[in-house]
Amino acid sequence: MKIFPLQGIKVDQRRSNWSQVVLKRVLPALSDQYSCEVSADAPSFHTDFVTGKMNVVDLPVKQPQITNIKSRYRPDETLHGNCSSHNSRPAANLTWIINGHLAKNSQLIRYPRIKEQHEKETSTLGLRFLVEPRHFTSGRLKIRCSASIGNLYWQSTEKSIEEEKPRPPQPATPSPTYGNDVLDKDFRDTNRRWPEMNKLPEEHQRSVDETMASNGAAAWAATAPWSLLALLLASR
């Protein structure tokens, strides 16, 4: 085995043999066309070669992310969300799956890829469709987003959605009333202040006694004839 030095290319001799060449510590700049050449010995010295494309891939660090999708939907409501795979080279291919079935093209919203640092890209694919009762046949609506890069990378994220049931009608809240409540409160306060309803408070009783004492003669003169007549009628 002979290895000719070339800047940026490091051959792993222990893993390379007559049928394969293994490179180590590859960089994105090494993505290019590579050829394999075979030469026959004398006397023909026939030579043949084939060429293939090699891509150096920067894989995403995280799984694809699903955004803007609620945990509950009711039938006849529109579901609209996005799936994104960030910072990879090349950009990941995204796929939406609804209850185990590939989403239709009419349900997809395709966004342009976003250029990131170091020649990496972020890809985003939208999903929009009308939620129907048939989507909840198993009790839940399950949607999954898958991201892939060739045969080197495949990751998926799944979200489970519950059916939102209609809420039962709520009883009307009675409007506040004031008349009876205020009166009842006043009575309660009165009972607290005057616990014995047949007996006036002491200060009120004193005022009444003084009034009766000062007006006693006039009161007796006014009521005496009627009191005498009542006694005569009673004796008969």
Side-chain angles (χ1 to χ4, degrees), residues 111-124:
Y111 299 100
R113 295 172 178 176
I114 300 175
K115 299 292 184 180
E116 306 287 359
Q117 295 181 350
H118 308 297
E119 300 184 1
K120 296 182 180 180
E121 294 179 310
T122 293
S123 56
T124 300

Side-chain angles (χ1 to χ4, degrees), residues 161-196:
I161 299 171
E162 296 182 0
E163 181 179 4
E164 183 175 349
K165 302 293 184 179
R167 296 181 179 180
Q170 299 294 325
T173 303
S175 58
T177 57
Y178 298 99
N180 294 336
D181 293 343
V182 172
L183 291 177
D184 291 343
K185 180 177 182 300
D186 289 343
F187 285 139
R188 289 194 295 271
D189 292 344
T190 302
N191 291 334
R192 268 199 303 274
R193 292 196 301 266
W194 299 347
E196 298 181 12

Side-chain angles (χ1 to χ4, degrees), residues 93-139:
N93 295 316
L94 299 175
T95 304
W96 278 108
I97 299 173
I98 305 172
N99 285 339
H101 300 282
L102 196 65
K104 301 177 182 178
N105 286 331
S106 59
Q107 298 172 325
L108 302 178
I109 303 174
R110 304 184 186 277
Y111 299 100
R113 295 172 178 176
I114 300 175
K115 299 292 184 180
E116 306 287 359
Q117 295 181 350
H118 308 297
E119 300 184 1
K120 296 182 180 180
E121 294 179 310
T122 293
S123 56
T124 300
L125 183 64
L127 178 67
R128 182 185 178 92
F129 67 95
L130 186 66
V131 177
E132 301 177 11
R134 62 183 178 86
H135 290 126
F136 298 100
T137 52
S138 60

Side-chain angles (χ1 to χ4, degrees), residues 220-231:
W220 168 253
T223 58
W226 295 102
S227 301
L228 181 58
L229 178 60
L231 290 173

